[in-house]
Short mmCIF file of all heavy atoms in Angstrom, two decimals:
data_model
loop_
_atom_site.label_atom_id
_atom_site.label_comp_id
_atom_site.label_asym_id
_atom_site.label_seq_id
_atom_site.Cartn_x
_atom_site.Cartn_y
_atom_site.Cartn_z
N SER A 249 178.57 123.46 125.79
CA SER A 249 177.72 122.30 125.98
C SER A 249 178.56 121.11 126.40
O SER A 249 179.73 121.04 126.15
CB SER A 249 176.96 121.96 124.70
OG SER A 249 177.82 121.29 123.74
N ASP A 291 197.75 104.17 125.99
CA ASP A 291 197.32 104.52 127.31
C ASP A 291 196.91 103.21 128.04
O ASP A 291 196.47 102.27 127.40
CB ASP A 291 196.12 105.47 127.24
CG ASP A 291 195.63 106.05 128.55
OD1 ASP A 291 195.06 105.32 129.37
OD2 ASP A 291 195.83 107.25 128.72
N ASP A 301 191.02 105.78 118.85
CA ASP A 301 190.87 105.07 117.53
C ASP A 301 189.55 105.51 116.87
O ASP A 301 189.52 105.77 115.63
CB ASP A 301 190.87 103.58 117.78
CG ASP A 301 190.74 102.77 116.51
OD1 ASP A 301 191.72 102.78 115.73
OD2 ASP A 301 189.69 102.18 116.27
N GLU A 322 197.18 113.82 127.51
CA GLU A 322 197.55 112.84 128.52
C GLU A 322 196.59 112.89 129.69
O GLU A 322 196.07 113.97 129.99
CB GLU A 322 198.98 113.08 129.00
CG GLU A 322 199.20 114.47 129.58
CD GLU A 322 200.66 114.74 129.97
OE1 GLU A 322 201.38 113.81 130.35
OE2 GLU A 322 201.07 115.92 129.85
N TRP A 329 201.07 105.41 133.06
CA TRP A 329 201.20 104.04 133.64
C TRP A 329 201.32 102.94 132.59
O TRP A 329 201.54 101.79 132.87
CB TRP A 329 199.95 103.78 134.49
CG TRP A 329 199.97 104.47 135.79
CD1 TRP A 329 200.96 105.26 136.31
CD2 TRP A 329 198.92 104.50 136.77
NE1 TRP A 329 200.59 105.74 137.56
CE2 TRP A 329 199.34 105.31 137.87
CE3 TRP A 329 197.65 103.89 136.84
CZ2 TRP A 329 198.60 105.50 139.00
CZ3 TRP A 329 196.88 104.14 137.97
CH2 TRP A 329 197.32 104.94 139.04
N TYR A 360 184.75 117.38 140.72
CA TYR A 360 184.79 115.91 140.56
C TYR A 360 185.46 115.28 141.78
O TYR A 360 186.37 114.45 141.67
CB TYR A 360 185.64 115.52 139.33
CG TYR A 360 184.96 115.56 137.97
CD1 TYR A 360 185.31 116.46 137.01
CD2 TYR A 360 183.89 114.69 137.72
CE1 TYR A 360 184.70 116.49 135.80
CE2 TYR A 360 183.25 114.72 136.47
CZ TYR A 360 183.67 115.63 135.51
OH TYR A 360 183.05 115.66 134.30
N GLU A 363 186.20 111.54 142.10
CA GLU A 363 187.14 110.92 141.18
C GLU A 363 188.60 111.26 141.48
O GLU A 363 189.50 110.64 140.95
CB GLU A 363 186.84 111.42 139.76
CG GLU A 363 185.42 111.16 139.29
CD GLU A 363 185.05 109.70 139.35
OE1 GLU A 363 185.80 108.89 138.77
OE2 GLU A 363 184.01 109.36 139.93
N ARG A 365 192.03 111.88 143.98
CA ARG A 365 192.71 111.14 145.02
C ARG A 365 193.71 112.05 145.78
O ARG A 365 193.90 113.19 145.39
CB ARG A 365 193.51 109.97 144.43
CG ARG A 365 192.63 108.98 143.64
CD ARG A 365 191.68 108.22 144.53
NE ARG A 365 190.88 107.28 143.83
CZ ARG A 365 189.62 107.50 143.40
NH1 ARG A 365 189.07 108.72 143.63
NH2 ARG A 365 188.97 106.60 142.75
#
Side-chain angles (χ1 to χ4, degrees):
S249 76
D291 188 289
D301 182 71
E322 59 186 326
W329 285 357
Y360 278 116
E363 304 302 308
R365 302 292 180 264

